[in-house]
Each structure stands twice: as C-alpha cells, then as structure tokens.
Amino acid sequence: MGTNNKLYVTYGGREDAYGGPGSVWKYNNFTWTNITPENNPNRSFSGICTDINNPENIVVTTNLAYMYRSTDGGDNWQSVNMDFNYFPEHYQWAGDFYRWGTSALLIDPNDTTGNTVWSANGFVVIKTESYFQPNTIWNTVMNNL
C-alpha cells in the first residue's frame, strides 16, 4: 500500500512457463482499476513497490525480466532498460537471470530522489542508483550465496 492509501497488486498466471496471463491492479476509493503496463496479458507480473517519499512513483517487474516504472500512480508506464555493471565471477553464467523472477522489490526510502532501487530473486540481490536514467545501471550487492 502506498502512503497515498492506494493498494497496488500484481497477478501472475503461469510462472512455470514464464508467461501470463498476468496484470497489475490499483485499489482506490472502493474501486479496482487495471493499470497493467502495455496491457500485455502474456506477462506474469511479480514484484511491485511504491516510493514512500512520492507514492505516485511505482516500479513493477515481470517474471520474464521486464521492469516498468510509473511517475503518475500507474496511469502511464515506461519500460526500464537494465544494464549490469558488476557480476561476481561465480555468477557470470546467470546473465539475464539477474532480473528474472523478482521476489522482492524496494524503492529505497533513504533516497528521497527515488533513484535507488533494490531487487532480489532466487539468484542474487541487485541495486541501481540510476533508476530515473534512460539506462539503469545495476550491480550485484551480495557474495557467496
């Protein structure tokens, strides 16, 4: 739930097949609204987070390595380009798995600009400090898992 009393929920259909159907919904004033990015029913959505410092900023991910951001409460979405700056040597094989199957997602509440975002999945924890740049640069922030 955002600090603006709106609840955001993701739905994932067939995670085992990496695809949909899935969607993203917003609950506000006793009304549910479908705010799915690109209105793509073939994506299974997973992690979602609002910014505690600006609840209109939202980040959402799919199980198939797509990430979207909204600065207007989900009315409009932008696809997030994810580039990786650092992979521990023992994770080189993982490639795109770094952004697949998000289990946790957080817009860092300590960064009032909203530029720091953390993501975790079954492989690794990643972090960017350039979330509002055209190409986000991500680093792994863990070792020895």
Side-chain angles (χ1 to χ4, degrees), residues 28-129:
N28 184 34
N29 292 325
F30 305 102
T31 302
W32 285 100
T33 305
N34 185 340
I35 59 169
T36 304
E38 298 181 11
N39 200 17
N40 189 331
N42 295 319
R43 298 210 172 123
S44 184
F45 290 86
S46 53
I48 190 165
C49 184
T50 61
D51 186 344
I52 195 168
N53 297 301
N54 181 351
E56 296 298 303
N57 289 341
I58 306 169
V59 58
V60 66
T61 61
T62 72
N63 274 355
L64 195 52
Y66 294 95
M67 183 177 281
Y68 300 92
R69 68 176 154 237
S70 175
T71 58
D72 58 11
D75 291 336
N76 297 287
W77 296 93
Q78 292 178 301
S79 181
V80 175
N81 295 323
M82 298 174 75
D83 293 324
F84 292 91
N85 189 38
Y86 170 69
F87 299 95
E89 190 172 313
H90 51 279
Y91 284 132
Q92 293 294 324
W93 62 271
D96 269 352
F97 287 117
Y98 280 174
R99 57 186 182 173
W100 170 83
T102 302
S103 59
L105 192 61
L106 174 71
I107 300 172
D108 194 326
N110 297 310
D111 180 355
T112 58
T113 68
N115 270 319
T116 303
V117 176
W118 298 75
S119 178
N121 61 33
F123 294 96
V124 72
V125 175
I126 58 175
K127 172 184 160 184
T128 185
E129 294 177 350

